[in-house]
Amino acid sequence: MPKTQINPNKLLLSKWTSISPIHKEKHFIVTELIRDEEGIVIECTLEAVINRNSYTLSWQSLTSATDWKQGWK
């Protein structure tokens, strides 16, 4: 399974495209980084561009090239 290299500290406001859109939600923007007590990024919040629905997920899931593409494609 291919992986994308990501610096979690630079994810804020980055754009992502879902490979398998659900409910026509294809394009997303990272609106929040969630950090632990040591300041390490553990999760991020993605907002769907089409309807502004928000989803929180582990930032590492964005490294899966079978699920996500960086940018809006």
Side-chain angles (χ1 to χ4, degrees):
M1 174 153 69
K3 295 273 186 185
T4 304
Q5 292 276 7
I6 297 176
N7 179 342
N9 293 308
K10 295 185 178 182
L11 278 175
L12 192 61
L13 302 179
S14 63
K15 298 171 182 173
W16 295 86
T17 299
S18 174
I19 302 297
S20 305
I22 298 173
H23 307 301
K24 298 182 182 176
E25 296 172 340
K26 182 175 181 177
H27 298 116
F28 294 84
I29 189 164
V30 176
T31 57
E32 181 182 9
L33 298 179
I34 298 144
R35 299 174 184 269
D36 67 10
E37 302 81 35
E38 282 113 40
I40 296 169
V41 176
I42 52 172
E43 293 181 317
C44 61
T45 301
L46 292 176
E47 183 179 287
V49 175
I50 192 170
N51 57 14
R52 302 185 66 104
N53 284 343
S54 290
Y55 304 93
T56 299
L57 57 135
S58 165
W59 71 265
Q60 290 93 339
S61 61
L62 294 174
T63 64
S64 171
T66 56
D67 296 323
W68 297 98
K69 285 186 183 175
Q70 197 163 11
W72 291 341
K73 315 265 191 252

Coordinates of all heavy atoms in Angstrom, one line a residue:
M1 N 0.8 -1.2 0.0 CA 0.0 0.0 0.0 C 0.9 1.2 0.0 O 1.7 1.4 0.9 CB -0.9 0.0 1.2 CG -1.7 1.2 1.4 SD -3.3 1.1 2.3 CE -2.9 0.7 3.9
P2 N 0.8 2.1 -1.0 CA 1.6 3.3 -1.1 C 1.3 4.3 0.0 O 0.2 4.5 0.4 CB 1.3 3.9 -2.5 CG 0.2 3.1 -3.0 CD -0.1 2.0 -2.1
K3 N 2.4 5.0 0.5 CA 2.2 6.0 1.5 C 2.7 7.3 1.0 O 3.7 7.4 0.3 CB 3.0 5.6 2.8 CG 2.5 4.3 3.5 CD 1.5 4.7 4.5 CE 1.1 3.4 5.2 NZ 0.0 3.7 6.1
T4 N 2.1 8.4 1.5 CA 2.5 9.8 1.2 C 3.3 10.3 2.4 O 2.8 10.2 3.5 CB 1.3 10.6 0.9 OG1 0.5 10.0 -0.1 CG2 1.7 12.0 0.5
Q5 N 4.4 11.0 2.2 CA 5.1 11.6 3.3 C 4.4 12.9 3.7 O 4.1 13.7 2.8 CB 6.6 11.9 2.8 CG 7.4 10.7 2.6 CD 8.1 10.2 3.9 OE1 7.8 10.6 5.0 NE2 8.9 9.2 3.7
I6 N 4.2 13.1 5.0 CA 3.5 14.3 5.5 C 4.2 14.8 6.7 O 4.6 14.0 7.6 CB 2.0 13.9 5.8 CG1 1.2 13.5 4.6 CG2 1.3 15.1 6.5 CD1 -0.2 13.0 4.9
N7 N 4.4 16.1 6.8 CA 4.8 16.7 8.0 C 3.5 17.2 8.7 O 2.8 18.1 8.3 CB 5.7 18.0 7.7 CG 6.2 18.7 9.0 OD1 5.6 18.5 10.0 ND2 7.2 19.5 8.8
P8 N 3.2 16.6 9.9 CA 1.9 16.9 10.5 C 1.8 18.3 11.0 O 0.7 18.9 11.0 CB 1.8 15.9 11.7 CG 3.2 15.5 11.9 CD 3.9 15.5 10.6
N9 N 2.9 19.0 11.2 CA 2.9 20.4 11.7 C 2.5 21.3 10.5 O 2.2 22.5 10.8 CB 4.2 20.8 12.3 CG 4.4 20.0 13.6 OD1 3.6 20.0 14.5 ND2 5.6 19.4 13.7
K10 N 2.5 20.9 9.3 CA 2.2 21.7 8.1 C 0.9 21.4 7.5 O 0.6 21.8 6.4 CB 3.4 21.6 7.1 CG 4.7 22.2 7.6 CD 5.7 22.2 6.6 CE 7.0 22.8 7.1 NZ 8.1 22.9 6.1
L11 N 0.1 20.6 8.2 CA -1.2 20.2 7.6 C -2.3 21.2 7.7 O -3.2 21.2 6.8 CB -1.8 18.9 8.4 CG -1.2 17.6 8.0 CD1 -1.7 16.5 9.0 CD2 -1.6 17.3 6.6
L12 N -2.2 22.2 8.6 CA -3.3 23.2 8.8 C -3.5 23.9 7.5 O -2.6 24.4 6.8 CB -3.0 24.1 9.9 CG -4.1 25.0 10.3 CD1 -5.3 24.2 10.9 CD2 -3.6 26.0 11.4
L13 N -4.8 24.0 7.0 CA -5.3 24.6 5.8 C -4.8 23.9 4.5 O -5.0 24.5 3.4 CB -4.9 26.1 5.8 CG -5.4 26.9 7.0 CD1 -5.0 28.4 6.8 CD2 -7.0 26.8 7.1
S14 N -4.3 22.7 4.7 CA -3.9 22.0 3.4 C -5.2 21.4 2.8 O -6.2 21.2 3.5 CB -2.9 20.9 3.7 OG -3.4 19.9 4.6
K15 N -5.1 21.1 1.5 CA -6.3 20.6 0.8 C -6.1 19.1 0.4 O -5.0 18.7 0.1 CB -6.4 21.4 -0.5 CG -6.7 22.9 -0.2 CD -6.7 23.7 -1.4 CE -6.9 25.2 -1.1 NZ -6.7 26.1 -2.2
W16 N -7.2 18.4 0.5 CA -7.1 16.9 0.2 C -8.3 16.5 -0.6 O -9.4 17.1 -0.5 CB -7.1 16.2 1.5 CG -5.9 16.4 2.3 CD1 -5.7 17.5 3.2 CD2 -4.7 15.7 2.2 NE1 -4.4 17.4 3.6 CE2 -3.8 16.4 3.1 CE3 -4.3 14.6 1.5 CZ2 -2.5 15.9 3.2 CZ3 -3.0 14.1 1.7 CH2 -2.1 14.8 2.5
T17 N -8.1 15.5 -1.4 CA -9.2 14.9 -2.3 C -9.4 13.4 -1.8 O -8.4 12.7 -1.8 CB -8.8 14.9 -3.8 OG1 -8.6 16.3 -4.1 CG2 -9.9 14.3 -4.6
S18 N -10.6 13.1 -1.5 CA -10.9 11.7 -1.2 C -11.0 10.8 -2.4 O -11.6 11.2 -3.4 CB -12.3 11.7 -0.5 OG -12.7 10.3 -0.2
I19 N -10.3 9.7 -2.4 CA -10.4 8.8 -3.5 C -11.7 8.1 -3.7 O -12.2 7.8 -4.8 CB -9.3 7.7 -3.4 CG1 -7.9 8.3 -3.2 CG2 -9.3 6.6 -4.5 CD1 -7.4 9.0 -4.4
S20 N -12.4 7.9 -2.6 CA -13.8 7.3 -2.6 C -14.8 8.2 -1.9 O -15.1 8.0 -0.7 CB -13.7 5.9 -1.8 OG -12.8 5.1 -2.4
P21 N -15.3 9.2 -2.6 CA -16.2 10.2 -2.0 C -17.4 9.5 -1.4 O -18.0 8.6 -2.0 CB -16.5 11.1 -3.1 CG -15.5 10.9 -4.2 CD -15.0 9.5 -4.0
I22 N -17.9 10.1 -0.3 CA -19.1 9.6 0.3 C -20.0 10.9 0.4 O -19.6 11.9 0.8 CB -18.9 9.0 1.7 CG1 -18.0 7.8 1.6 CG2 -20.2 8.7 2.4 CD1 -17.6 7.2 2.9
H23 N -21.3 10.7 0.0 CA -22.3 11.8 0.0 C -21.8 13.0 -0.8 O -21.9 14.2 -0.4 CB -22.6 12.3 1.5 CG -23.0 11.2 2.4 ND1 -24.1 10.4 2.2 CD2 -22.5 10.8 3.5 CE1 -24.2 9.6 3.1 NE2 -23.3 9.7 4.0
K24 N -21.1 12.7 -1.9 CA -20.5 13.8 -2.8 C -19.5 14.6 -2.2 O -19.1 15.7 -2.7 CB -21.7 14.6 -3.4 CG -22.6 13.9 -4.2 CD -23.7 14.8 -4.8 CE -24.7 14.0 -5.6 NZ -25.8 14.8 -6.1
E25 N -19.0 14.2 -1.0 CA -17.9 14.9 -0.3 C -16.6 14.4 -0.8 O -16.1 13.3 -0.5 CB -18.0 14.7 1.2 CG -19.3 15.3 1.8 CD -19.4 14.9 3.3 OE1 -18.8 14.0 3.7 OE2 -20.2 15.6 3.9
K26 N -16.0 15.2 -1.7 CA -14.7 14.8 -2.4 C -13.6 15.7 -1.9 O -12.5 15.2 -1.7 CB -14.9 14.9 -3.9 CG -13.7 14.4 -4.7 CD -14.0 14.4 -6.1 CE -12.8 13.9 -6.9 NZ -13.1 13.8 -8.3
H27 N -13.8 17.0 -1.9 CA -12.7 17.9 -1.5 C -12.8 18.4 -0.1 O -13.9 18.7 0.4 CB -12.7 19.1 -2.5 CG -12.5 18.7 -3.9 ND1 -13.5 18.9 -4.9 CD2 -11.5 18.1 -4.5 CE1 -13.0 18.4 -6.0 NE2 -11.8 17.9 -5.8
F28 N -11.7 18.4 0.6 CA -11.6 18.7 2.0 C -10.5 19.7 2.3 O -9.5 19.7 1.5 CB -11.4 17.4 2.8 CG -12.5 16.5 2.8 CD1 -12.6 15.6 1.8 CD2 -13.5 16.5 3.8 CE1 -13.7 14.7 1.7 CE2 -14.5 15.6 3.7 CZ -14.6 14.7 2.7
I29 N -10.6 20.4 3.4 CA -9.5 21.3 3.9 C -9.3 21.0 5.3 O -10.3 20.8 6.1 CB -9.8 22.8 3.6 CG1 -8.6 23.7 3.9 CG2 -11.1 23.2 4.4 CD1 -8.7 25.1 3.3
V30 N -8.1 20.9 5.8 CA -7.8 20.7 7.2 C -8.0 22.0 7.9 O -7.4 23.0 7.6 CB -6.3 20.2 7.4 CG1 -6.0 20.1 8.8 CG2 -6.1 18.9 6.6
T31 N -8.9 22.0 8.9 CA -9.3 23.2 9.6 C -8.8 23.3 11.0 O -8.8 24.3 11.7 CB -10.8 23.4 9.6 OG1 -11.4 22.2 10.3 CG2 -11.4 23.6 8.3
E32 N -8.3 22.1 11.5 CA -7.8 22.1 12.9 C -6.8 21.0 13.1 O -7.0 19.9 12.5 CB -9.0 21.9 13.9 CG -8.6 21.9 15.3 CD -9.7 21.7 16.3 OE1 -10.8 21.3 15.8 OE2 -9.5 21.8 17.5
L33 N -5.8 21.2 13.9 CA -4.8 20.2 14.3 C -5.0 19.9 15.8 O -5.1 20.9 16.6 CB -3.4 20.6 14.1 CG -3.0 20.9 12.6 CD1 -1.5 21.3 12.6 CD2 -3.2 19.7 11.8
I34 N -5.2 18.7 16.2 CA -5.4 18.3 17.6 C -4.1 17.7 18.1 O -3.6 16.8 17.5 CB -6.6 17.3 17.7 CG1 -7.8 18.0 17.2 CG2 -6.8 16.9 19.2 CD1 -8.8 17.1 16.5
R35 N -3.6 18.3 19.2 CA -2.3 17.9 19.7 C -2.4 17.3 21.1 O -3.4 17.6 21.9 CB -1.4 19.2 19.8 CG -1.1 19.8 18.5 CD -0.4 21.1 18.6 NE -0.2 21.8 17.3 CZ 0.8 21.6 16.5 NH1 1.8 20.8 16.8 NH2 0.9 22.2 15.4
D36 N -1.5 16.5 21.5 CA -1.4 15.9 22.8 C -0.8 16.9 23.8 O -0.4 18.0 23.4 CB -0.8 14.5 22.8 CG 0.7 14.6 22.5 OD1 1.3 15.7 22.5 OD2 1.3 13.5 22.3
E37 N -0.5 16.4 25.0 CA 0.0 17.3 26.1 C 1.4 17.8 25.7 O 1.8 18.9 26.2 CB 0.1 16.6 27.4 CG -1.2 16.0 27.9 CD -1.6 14.7 27.3 OE1 -0.7 13.9 27.0 OE2 -2.8 14.5 27.0
E38 N 2.2 17.0 24.9 CA 3.5 17.4 24.5 C 3.5 18.3 23.2 O 4.6 18.7 22.7 CB 4.4 16.2 24.3 CG 4.9 15.6 25.6 CD 4.3 14.2 25.8 OE1 4.2 13.5 24.8 OE2 3.9 13.9 26.9
G39 N 2.4 18.6 22.7 CA 2.3 19.4 21.5 C 2.4 18.7 20.2 O 2.6 19.2 19.1
I40 N 2.4 17.3 20.3 CA 2.5 16.5 19.1 C 1.2 16.3 18.4 O 0.2 16.0 19.1 CB 3.1 15.1 19.4 CG1 4.6 15.3 20.0 CG2 3.2 14.2 18.2 CD1 5.2 14.1 20.6
V41 N 1.1 16.5 17.1 CA -0.1 16.4 16.4 C -0.6 14.9 16.4 O 0.2 14.0 16.0 CB 0.0 16.9 14.9 CG1 -1.3 16.6 14.1 CG2 0.4 18.3 14.9
I42 N -1.8 14.7 16.9 CA -2.3 13.3 16.9 C -3.5 13.1 16.0 O -3.7 12.0 15.5 CB -2.7 12.9 18.4 CG1 -3.6 13.9 19.0 CG2 -1.5 12.7 19.2 CD1 -4.2 13.5 20.4
E43 N -4.3 14.2 15.8 CA -5.5 14.1 14.9 C -5.6 15.4 14.1 O -5.0 16.4 14.5 CB -6.7 13.8 15.7 CG -6.8 12.5 16.4 CD -8.1 12.3 17.1 OE1 -8.6 13.2 17.8 OE2 -8.6 11.2 17.0
C44 N -6.5 15.4 13.1 CA -6.8 16.6 12.4 C -8.3 16.6 12.1 O -8.9 15.6 12.0 CB -5.9 16.8 11.1 SG -6.2 15.5 9.9
T45 N -8.8 17.8 11.9 CA -10.2 17.9 11.5 C -10.3 18.4 10.0 O -9.6 19.3 9.7 CB -10.9 19.0 12.4 OG1 -10.8 18.6 13.8 CG2 -12.4 19.1 12.0
L46 N -11.0 17.6 9.2 CA -11.2 17.9 7.8 C -12.6 18.4 7.6 O -13.5 17.9 8.2 CB -11.1 16.6 7.0 CG -9.7 16.0 6.9 CD1 -9.8 14.7 6.1 CD2 -8.7 16.9 6.2
E47 N -12.7 19.5 6.8 CA -14.0 20.1 6.5 C -14.3 19.9 5.0 O -13.5 20.2 4.2 CB -14.0 21.6 6.9 CG -15.4 22.2 6.6 CD -15.3 23.7 7.0 OE1 -15.3 24.0 8.2 OE2 -15.4 24.5 6.1
A48 N -15.5 19.3 4.8 CA -15.9 19.1 3.4 C -16.2 20.4 2.7 O -16.9 21.2 3.3 CB -17.1 18.2 3.3
V49 N -15.7 20.7 1.6 CA -15.9 22.0 0.9 C -17.3 22.1 0.5 O -17.9 23.2 0.6 CB -14.9 22.1 -0.3 CG1 -15.2 23.4 -1.1 CG2 -13.5 22.1 0.2
I50 N -18.0 21.1 0.0 CA -19.3 21.1 -0.6 C -20.4 21.5 0.5 O -21.3 22.2 0.2 CB -19.7 19.8 -1.3 CG1 -20.9 20.0 -2.1 CG2 -19.8 18.7 -0.3 CD1 -21.2 18.8 -3.1
N51 N -20.3 21.0 1.7 CA -21.3 21.2 2.7 C -20.8 21.6 4.1 O -21.6 21.7 5.0 CB -22.2 20.0 2.8 CG -21.4 18.7 3.2 OD1 -20.3 18.8 3.6 ND2 -22.0 17.6 2.9
R52 N -19.5 21.8 4.2 CA -18.9 22.2 5.5 C -19.0 21.2 6.6 O -18.8 21.5 7.8 CB -19.4 23.6 5.9 CG -19.1 24.6 4.9 CD -19.5 26.0 5.3 NE -18.6 26.4 6.4 CZ -17.7 27.3 6.3 NH1 -17.4 27.8 5.2 NH2 -17.0 27.7 7.4
N53 N -19.4 19.9 6.3 CA -19.4 18.9 7.4 C -17.9 18.6 7.8 O -17.0 18.7 7.0 CB -19.9 17.5 6.8 CG -21.4 17.5 6.7 OD1 -22.1 18.4 7.3 ND2 -21.9 16.6 5.9
S54 N -17.7 18.4 9.1 CA -16.4 18.2 9.7 C -16.2 16.8 10.1 O -17.1 16.2 10.7 CB -16.2 19.2 10.9 OG -16.0 20.5 10.4
Y55 N -15.0 16.3 10.0 CA -14.6 14.9 10.4 C -13.3 15.0 11.1 O -12.4 15.6 10.5 CB -14.6 14.0 9.2 CG -15.9 14.0 8.4 CD1 -16.0 14.8 7.3 CD2 -16.9 13.1 8.8 CE1 -17.2 14.8 6.6 CE2 -18.1 13.1 8.0 CZ -18.2 13.9 7.0 OH -19.4 13.9 6.3
T56 N -13.2 14.3 12.2 CA -11.9 14.2 12.9 C -11.3 12.8 12.7 O -12.0 11.8 12.8 CB -12.1 14.5 14.4 OG1 -12.6 15.8 14.5 CG2 -10.7 14.4 15.1
L57 N -10.0 12.8 12.3 CA -9.4 11.5 12.0 C -7.9 11.6 12.3 O -7.3 12.7 12.5 CB -9.6 11.1 10.6 CG -9.1 12.0 9.5 CD1 -8.3 11.2 8.4 CD2 -10.3 12.6 8.8
S58 N -7.3 10.5 12.5 CA -5.8 10.4 12.7 C -5.1 11.0 11.5 O -5.5 10.7 10.4 CB -5.4 9.0 12.9 OG -4.0 8.9 12.8
W59 N -4.1 11.9 11.7 CA -3.5 12.5 10.6 C -2.8 11.5 9.7 O -2.6 11.7 8.5 CB -2.5 13.7 11.0 CG -1.3 13.2 11.7 CD1 -1.1 13.1 13.1 CD2 -0.1 12.8 11.1 NE1 0.2 12.6 13.3 CE2 0.8 12.4 12.2 CE3 0.4 12.6 9.8 CZ2 2.1 11.9 11.9 CZ3 1.7 12.2 9.6 CH2 2.5 11.8 10.6
Q60 N -2.4 10.4 10.3 CA -1.7 9.3 9.6 C -2.5 8.7 8.5 O -2.0 8.2 7.5 CB -1.1 8.2 10.6 CG 0.0 8.7 11.5 CD -0.5 9.2 12.8 OE1 -1.6 9.6 13.0 NE2 0.4 9.2 13.8
S61 N -3.9 8.8 8.7 CA -4.7 8.2 7.6 C -4.6 8.9 6.3 O -4.9 8.4 5.3 CB -6.2 8.1 8.1 OG -6.6 9.4 8.4
L62 N -4.2 10.2 6.4 CA -4.0 11.0 5.1 C -2.8 10.5 4.3 O -2.6 10.8 3.1 CB -3.8 12.4 5.4 CG -5.0 13.2 6.0 CD1 -4.7 14.6 6.4 CD2 -6.2 13.1 5.0
T63 N -1.9 9.6 4.9 CA -0.7 9.1 4.2 C -1.1 8.0 3.3 O -0.3 7.6 2.5 CB 0.4 8.6 5.2 OG1 -0.1 7.5 6.0 CG2 0.8 9.8 6.1
S64 N -2.3 7.5 3.4 CA -2.7 6.3 2.5 C -3.1 6.9 1.1 O -4.1 7.5 1.0 CB -3.9 5.6 3.1 OG -4.4 4.7 2.2
A65 N -2.2 6.6 0.1 CA -2.5 7.0 -1.2 C -3.7 6.3 -1.9 O -4.2 6.8 -2.9 CB -1.2 6.8 -2.1
T66 N -4.1 5.2 -1.2 CA -5.3 4.5 -1.8 C -6.6 5.2 -1.3 O -7.7 5.0 -1.8 CB -5.4 3.1 -1.3 OG1 -5.3 3.0 0.1 CG2 -4.2 2.3 -2.0
D67 N -6.5 6.1 -0.3 CA -7.7 6.8 0.3 C -7.7 8.3 0.0 O -8.7 8.9 -0.2 CB -7.8 6.6 1.8 CG -8.0 5.2 2.2 OD1 -8.7 4.5 1.4 OD2 -7.4 4.7 3.2
W68 N -6.5 8.9 -0.1 CA -6.4 10.4 -0.2 C -5.3 10.8 -1.2 O -4.3 10.2 -1.3 CB -6.0 11.0 1.2 CG -7.0 10.8 2.2 CD1 -7.0 9.8 3.2 CD2 -8.2 11.5 2.4 NE1 -8.1 9.9 4.0 CE2 -8.9 11.0 3.5 CE3 -8.7 12.6 1.8 CZ2 -10.1 11.5 4.0 CZ3 -10.0 13.1 2.3 CH2 -10.6 12.6 3.4
K69 N -5.6 12.0 -1.8 CA -4.6 12.6 -2.7 C -4.4 14.0 -2.1 O -5.4 14.7 -1.8 CB -5.1 12.8 -4.1 CG -5.0 11.5 -4.9 CD -5.4 11.8 -6.4 CE -5.4 10.5 -7.2 NZ -5.8 10.7 -8.5
Q70 N -3.2 14.5 -2.1 CA -2.9 15.9 -1.6 C -3.3 16.8 -2.7 O -3.1 16.6 -3.8 CB -1.5 16.0 -1.2 CG -1.3 17.2 -0.3 CD 0.1 17.2 0.4 OE1 0.9 16.4 0.1 NE2 0.3 18.1 1.3
G71 N -4.0 17.9 -2.3 CA -4.5 18.9 -3.2 C -5.9 18.6 -3.7 O -6.5 17.5 -3.3
W72 N -6.5 19.4 -4.5 CA -7.8 19.2 -5.0 C -7.7 18.7 -6.4 O -7.3 19.5 -7.3 CB -8.7 20.4 -4.9 CG -9.1 20.8 -3.5 CD1 -9.1 20.0 -2.4 CD2 -9.6 22.0 -3.1 NE1 -9.5 20.6 -1.3 CE2 -9.8 21.9 -1.7 CE3 -9.8 23.2 -3.7 CZ2 -10.3 23.0 -0.9 CZ3 -10.3 24.3 -2.9 CH2 -10.5 24.1 -1.5
K73 N -8.0 17.5 -6.7 CA -7.8 16.9 -8.0 C -9.2 16.6 -8.6 O -10.1 16.2 -8.0 CB -7.0 15.6 -7.9 CG -5.8 15.7 -7.0 CD -4.6 16.0 -7.8 CE -3.3 15.9 -7.0 NZ -2.5 16.8 -6.5

